[in-house]
Amino acid sequence: MHRRTALSVSAAILAAAPLLTACGSDAHPGAAAIVGGQRIDVAGLQAQVKDVRTAQEASPNGPELLRATGDLGRQKLNGMIFDRVVDKVARDQGVTATRAELQQTRAAFVRESGGQERLEAMLLQQQGVAPGQIDEVVRRNVLMNKIAAKLGATDTPEGQKKLTDVFSAASKELDIDVNPRYGTWDDTQVRLADSARVPWLRQTDRGPAAAAAGG
């Protein structure tokens, strides 16, 4: 399987506000955010949060995981918005992720993690990703590696700046409007304002666990 340069590009997923039962800004009732004129509905966000909470409750470390992700709603929204920025950059760069690439990358993550269960446990604990959301992480990883390759951006400060500049420009073009309940979007950092940086899972020779931990 072809190896790609490991990336430190991450967008920030931040732990966020607890699951909300009702919301909506005055301008966009029922929307958690508007990205490129397209809504991210609160209902869709809540569904992602519910999937993670269900997986956490079933985990042997459930109470610990629940305490560590009290702001899960904001964290998941951050990821949902960032994925749309990734999609725009991929379109602009003529980059796509084929089914074979997605399957190969997921298989590599499973193998390097020591099995499917260990991969699921690692992602749930470190990134608040439910088992059913792993394909989204895999797709993001494939696209970001291919974008970096297309731009010639290496895992260096200069390469990271090149990627950040491209993603920041795409973020501005999407005119991202976040429901005030969740905060505001920072185009420069390509993340929800005040959010902590959390490395995305990415393909590396060290395996997905080390990559996700940022080690």
Side-chain angles (χ1 to χ4, degrees):
M1 173 177 170
H2 180 65
R3 293 282 178 180
R4 295 184 176 84
T5 305
L7 302 182
S8 317
V9 176
S10 62
I13 333 185
L14 199 211
L19 178 62
L20 301 177
T21 56
C23 124
S25 62
D26 291 338
H28 309 292
I34 304 293
V35 183
Q38 302 297 313
R39 294 163 59 95
I40 295 178
D41 289 331
V42 171
L45 172 61
Q46 290 181 337
Q48 286 221 2
V49 171
K50 182 179 179 181
D51 287 345
V52 175
R53 292 301 189 209
T54 299
Q56 289 175 332
E57 290 168 359
S59 169
N61 302 320
E64 177 184 343
L65 295 177
L66 289 167
R67 286 195 299 271
T69 54
D71 288 338
L72 184 60
R74 192 159 176 254
Q75 175 181 335
K76 300 307 289 186
L77 178 59
N78 194 91
M80 294 171 78
I81 295 173
F82 183 71
D83 277 345
R84 297 197 181 191
V85 179
V86 172
D87 285 344
K88 174 171 173 51
V89 175
R91 288 193 303 271
D92 291 347
Q93 297 299 321
V95 166
T96 59
T98 68
R99 178 176 296 183
E101 288 169 332
L102 298 176
Q103 292 173 339
Q104 291 169 358
T105 300
R106 177 156 183 158
F109 288 159
V110 170
R111 182 174 62 253
E112 294 164 10
S113 297
Q116 180 70 26
E117 290 186 3
R118 292 187 64 179
L119 174 64
E120 291 178 358
M122 181 271 290
L123 285 175
L124 181 63
Q125 178 176 349
Q126 296 184 4
Q127 297 191 31
V129 173
Q133 298 167 356
I134 294 177
D135 283 345
E136 299 165 16
V137 178
V138 171
R139 181 175 181 276
R140 180 187 309 134
N141 176 85
V142 171
L143 287 176
M144 291 187 70
N145 275 291
K146 294 183 76 172
I147 289 167
K150 183 72 177 288
L151 294 172
T154 56
D155 193 18
T156 63
E158 294 76 14
Q160 295 305 304
K161 183 179 185 304
K162 180 183 291 188
L163 282 168
T164 298
D165 288 346
V166 169
F167 275 77
S168 178
S171 178
K172 290 176 182 177
E173 288 182 31
L174 287 172
D175 191 23
I176 298 167
D177 179 17
V178 176
N179 185 309
R181 290 174 180 258
Y182 297 96
T184 57
W185 185 258
D186 185 333
D187 289 316
T188 301
Q189 298 297 320
V190 200
R191 60 189 172 97
L192 283 171
D194 300 324
S195 65
R197 291 185 177 276
V198 178
W200 296 103
L201 177 65
R202 56 192 182 275
Q203 183 181 342
T204 72
D205 291 333
R206 297 169 299 157

